Amino acid sequence: MVQEFGNAFLKKPAPQNGPAIPQVKSALAPPVRKPVAPPRPQTYSKVFRWRLPDGQTQAPATVEVVGAFTHWQKVPLHRDGAQDAWHVTLHNLQCGRMYHYMLLVDGQPVRDKHCDGLAVPHGPQEVQYQLMTDRGPRVMMLFAQTK
């Protein structure tokens, strides 16, 4: 009967086998910490852009970027007729990392005037796409950071 009376007023019935008085947690007990998800690494997007060199009028058949951030798979740049340039935006580059890459025009490596520097190629992928300079073979360098 008491249980029915409690339900009538939307109260929970007292537990049958437990204590009638709620237990109070000790002030000395450590607080319960919920697991914290690891922070996601900061990422950013990079626009790669290439234009015909001065005096050159013949448009190439392909312009591509290849690098550590694409796992050395070629990614085509798209031609923008209004700006007379080729470009592509790559997303989710991890901040604080150094990437090696190359721009390829009709399959041949070309210098990117917007790169962060030149690096000595390491590994077979980089050697495959290296560019010969006065100081020897080089690949382009990109330091991924937030602005």
Side-chain angles (χ1 to χ4, degrees), residues 2-144:
V2 174
Q3 191 174 13
E4 291 174 11
F5 186 72
N7 285 341
F9 291 103
L10 302 174
K11 293 183 182 179
K12 288 176 108 181
Q16 297 290 335
N17 298 337
I21 302 172
Q23 292 180 342
V24 178
K25 292 185 179 183
S26 168
L28 300 176
V32 177
R33 295 184 183 197
K34 295 180 181 179
V36 177
R40 292 194 308 180
Q42 257 189 326
T43 61
Y44 82 109
S45 298
K46 167 73 175 160
V47 177
F48 291 91
R49 187 170 283 119
W50 183 82
R51 292 178 187 249
L52 283 172
D54 290 338
Q56 183 177 343
T57 58
Q58 181 68 27
T62 62
V63 179
E64 301 161 314
V65 65
V66 61
F69 40 79
T70 67
H71 304 287
W72 295 97
Q73 300 297 313
K74 295 176 183 177
V75 175
L77 277 71
H78 305 284
R79 187 165 190 274
D80 181 359
Q83 295 183 358
D84 197 28
W86 286 257
H87 67 274
V88 68
T89 303
L90 297 180
H91 303 283
N92 297 323
L93 295 169
Q94 286 187 359
C95 294
R97 287 199 52 197
M98 187 76 64
Y99 292 104
H100 291 177
Y101 74 97
M102 285 303 301
L103 284 177
L104 304 174
V105 176
D106 288 335
Q108 299 300 313
V110 296
R111 178 118 188 217
D112 180 9
K113 63 181 180 180
H114 302 291
C115 75
D116 293 332
L118 298 174
V120 175
H122 298 286
Q125 294 94 351
E126 293 184 17
V127 169
Q128 177 182 357
Y129 297 112
Q130 68 190 4
L131 179 68
M132 291 306 293
T133 67
D134 295 342
R135 301 182 112 188
R138 296 292 189 260
V139 292
M140 303 299 133
M141 202 167 46
L142 169 68
F143 182 65

